[in-house]
Amino acid sequence: MSARSILSDSAGNPILTNFGRKGTETMDILHAISPSFALSGFVVGLLVGLTGVGGGSLMTPLLVLIFGVQATTAVGTDLLYAAMTKTFGTVVHHRRKTIDWRVTRRLASGSIPAAIFTLTILYEFGVRGGVSPPLITIVLACALILTAVCVVSHRWLRLLTATRRSEPDPRRVAALTITAGLVLGVLVTLSSVGAGAIGMTALVLLYPRTPIAKLVGSDIAHAVPLTLIAGTGHWLLGSVNWLLLSSLLIGSLPGIYVGAILQHAFPIESCARSSQGR
């Protein structure tokens, strides 16, 4: 049975993980860039580039349940991880013209103020370093359940909205998009979960006639400023582990690039039509 290694967050607080050899008391650079972390980053990056879903909903539980990282540190580290990987993915989608910047701006106008407000609340309640207050763990659990529901119902909702005959009211759509951004801002800041599956579900309902590839690109582009601001706030609160972040990025950058290329080559809509006819 291997002993648990000790990492330090950005405030110098110890973070226990299940990674390491017996008798090890500190994690060195070689452990930090372990193939296990890099492989995890690659798989999650691949899913993000392919579908726009899977960042926080996979990485945060992976860090907490498999590597034993404290929930708050997992959230803070994953937020900056998402900001960096999705920046890379945004560049790819922008070059392929699969981003609707109007949709992205609407989401951000709601999510960014909500993220700043949520970070202020965390600061006022004294959330620091590697602690895991009940609020973080409860919101994380709820966000993961909601993400699962969104993933399961995504195709059904897409088919349902595609049958609408009347054009939605543009003002109503804009207001609901901003509202969706507000909800995402709070969820993502507290749990790092929601910018992918929940955000995509909202976009599918609000913009049924927009190609799915463009919704994926818009969702990824919106996640960049949201996760960057939320992640920076968590860093200031002391809940980011930089060694862990570096090792995840080593695998994720190639993964998200490959995913974006595959998404363009084999659009999800085409797959849906094929399976629909079976």
Side-chain angles (χ1 to χ4, degrees):
M1 178 175 172
S2 62
R4 292 180 296 180
S5 299
I6 301 178
L7 291 78
S8 296
D9 58 28
S10 55
N13 300 313
I15 307 167
L16 290 177
T17 73
N18 294 321
F19 196 87
R21 296 180 179 178
K22 186 175 181 179
T24 300
E25 294 181 354
T26 59
M27 174 172 276
D28 56 22
I29 298 298
L30 293 177
H31 284 163
I33 58 175
S34 160
S36 298
F37 289 129
L39 179 60
S40 300
F42 178 83
V43 172
V44 173
L46 181 67
L47 291 175
V48 170
L50 183 62
T51 66
V53 175
S57 58
L58 286 179
M59 185 56 74
T60 302
L62 187 68
L63 293 176
V64 173
L65 299 177
I66 303 300
F67 296 107
V69 179
Q70 292 286 348
T72 306
T73 300
V75 169
T77 303
D78 182 54
L79 283 169
L80 287 182
Y81 160 81
M84 296 177 188
T85 55
K86 293 195 176 186
T87 295
F88 188 75
T90 298
V91 172
V92 175
H93 279 281
H94 176 65
R95 288 177 177 176
R96 298 184 180 282
K97 298 181 179 179
T98 51
I99 297 177
D100 188 332
W101 292 105
R102 178 193 56 173
V103 173
T104 300
R105 285 193 296 269
R106 287 175 178 175
L107 285 172
S109 63
S111 64
I112 292 176
I116 294 173
F117 175 78
T118 305
L119 288 168
T120 302
I121 296 298
L122 291 177
Y123 177 79
E124 292 297 329
F125 277 86
V127 177
R128 302 284 189 280
V131 298
S132 296
L135 174 64
I136 298 293
T137 52
I138 291 173
V139 174
L140 176 59
C142 293
L144 288 172
I145 293 173
L146 183 57
T147 295
V149 172
C150 290
V151 170
V152 171
S153 62
H154 178 81
R155 183 186 170 194
W156 176 77
L157 291 173
R158 182 70 176 174
L159 294 175
L160 178 65
T161 55
T163 59
R164 290 179 183 171
R165 295 183 179 180
S166 59
E167 290 290 336
D169 181 14
R171 295 180 181 177
R172 183 169 176 267
V173 170
L176 289 175
T177 305
I178 295 172
T179 302
L182 285 168
V183 175
L184 289 173
V186 175
L187 276 180
V188 171
T189 304
L190 290 176
S191 67
S192 78
V193 177
I198 299 174
M200 274 297 297
T201 299
L203 293 183
V204 164
L205 290 173
L206 293 170
Y207 302 91
R209 290 174 175 78
T210 301
I212 195 70
K214 212 159 194 176
L215 294 181
V216 170
S218 304
D219 184 52
I220 291 176
H222 159 251
V224 174
L226 171 56
T227 54
L228 180 59
I229 290 173
T232 301
H234 275 270
W235 169 52
L236 295 175
L237 293 174
S239 52
V240 172
N241 183 281
W242 293 101
L243 290 178
L244 182 58
L245 175 61
S246 300
S247 63
L248 294 174
L249 288 173
I250 289 174
S252 65
L253 293 181
I256 199 167
Y257 180 79
V258 172
I261 297 298
L262 290 176
Q263 201 282 331
H264 181 74
F266 305 100
I268 299 174
E269 281 182 322
S270 298
C271 297
R273 291 194 194 100
S274 299
S275 61
Q276 198 177 341
R278 292 177 185 175

